[in-house]
Amino acid sequence: AWRIGALVTWAQLAGAAPEPALEALRLAAASVGSVQVRNQATVGGNLCHASAAADGIPPLLALDAQVELASLRGVRRLPLSAFALGNRRTALGADELLTAVVVPRPAPRAHSVFLKLAWRRDLVIAVASVAAVLAFDDKDRVARCAIAVGACSSAAMRLSALEQALAGTPRAALARRLRELDPGLAFGALAPIDDVRASAAYRREAAAELVHRALGELAGAAGGDRQ
């Protein structure tokens, strides 16, 4: 696994050159705030703030990340999905500090991507964001699919039903399979809100479009691995 200290800044992650499976995290890091913000803002701060639209949470969810929490009682690890409970709510105990994020090494040949819809490039909160990790087996079928959506629920979340529905799909048929799925199955778990940035209906449509684009991009990248 990779262990990312809580005080690692987003600028440090944005400037890293990770393997393809971690590209989503690098792209998300580059989208946080502005250059000045990224030079000061930390991974631990982003996770503990636990905004529903936090850029750093979807890629870490898609990568099955855990958080490391320390206190005088000892050290414990929680899946990030069990740590970020809702908008600005976490499972952090009153006597605990978040000390690191632990990311398991993904499957061989896995690729990842992060896409964010916002009204300008810097210093803006996401209307919707998507992080996806995709890997294919030796028969060019989906071996691992992880999709996390931000800013469309009280906390960023994995689309587990969609992931399961895409498992085993041939790479060449992935786009068609995604179009054929019932939107209620694929995206029904999302619970977007209406606010000054967008309506709930717009967010739901945006999230679906970002998922389509992310998976299309990853399927193409995986195909390049085989050439």
Side-chain angles (χ1 to χ4, degrees):
W2 290 280
R3 185 178 184 275
I4 304 169
L7 294 182
V8 169
T9 66
W10 291 107
Q12 288 174 309
L13 280 180
E19 61 184 77
L22 291 182
E23 178 66 6
L25 185 57
R26 189 193 68 79
L27 291 171
S31 77
V32 172
S34 64
V35 172
Q36 295 92 331
V37 171
R38 291 191 291 272
N39 285 337
Q40 294 293 322
T42 64
V43 173
N46 192 252
L47 300 188
C48 288
H49 187 244
S51 166
D55 292 333
I57 294 180
L60 289 170
L61 281 176
L63 289 164
D64 294 324
Q66 295 183 319
V67 292
E68 184 180 275
L69 308 176
S71 71
L72 291 177
R73 294 178 283 115
V75 177
R76 64 179 178 129
R77 285 185 179 177
L78 276 180
L80 179 56
S81 58
F83 176 77
L85 302 177
N87 193 30
R88 303 189 183 186
R89 294 190 297 113
T90 73
L92 189 70
D95 61 341
E96 289 182 315
L97 293 173
L98 190 154
T99 53
V101 179
V102 180
V103 180
R105 289 188 178 273
R109 298 195 302 273
H111 289 257
S112 72
V113 70
F114 173 79
L115 300 178
K116 174 179 175 179
L117 174 64
W119 300 128
R120 61 176 187 264
R121 181 173 178 178
D122 294 319
L123 289 171
V124 66
I125 298 172
V127 171
S129 63
V130 167
V133 181
L134 200 60
F136 293 90
D137 62 20
D138 292 338
K139 295 183 179 179
D140 218 16
R141 298 174 303 191
V142 174
R144 183 180 188 277
C145 179
I147 304 166
V149 176
C152 290
S153 301
S154 60
M157 64 184 303
R158 290 271 294 268
L159 298 182
S160 301
L162 177 56
E163 295 171 0
Q164 294 170 12
L166 295 176
T169 301
R171 182 172 60 85
L174 187 59
R176 184 178 71 251
R177 171 66 173 154
L178 188 56
R179 287 194 302 268
E180 292 171 348
L181 287 174
D182 177 1
L185 169 70
F187 305 104
L190 299 178
I193 62 170
D194 296 309
D195 65 10
V196 295
R197 290 188 297 280
S199 67
Y202 182 86
R203 279 193 163 94
R204 190 178 294 276
E205 290 292 328
E209 177 62 23
L210 290 177
V211 169
H212 280 262
R213 293 185 186 186
L215 294 180
E217 183 175 331
L218 293 177
D225 281 351
R226 297 178 181 277
Q227 295 177 0

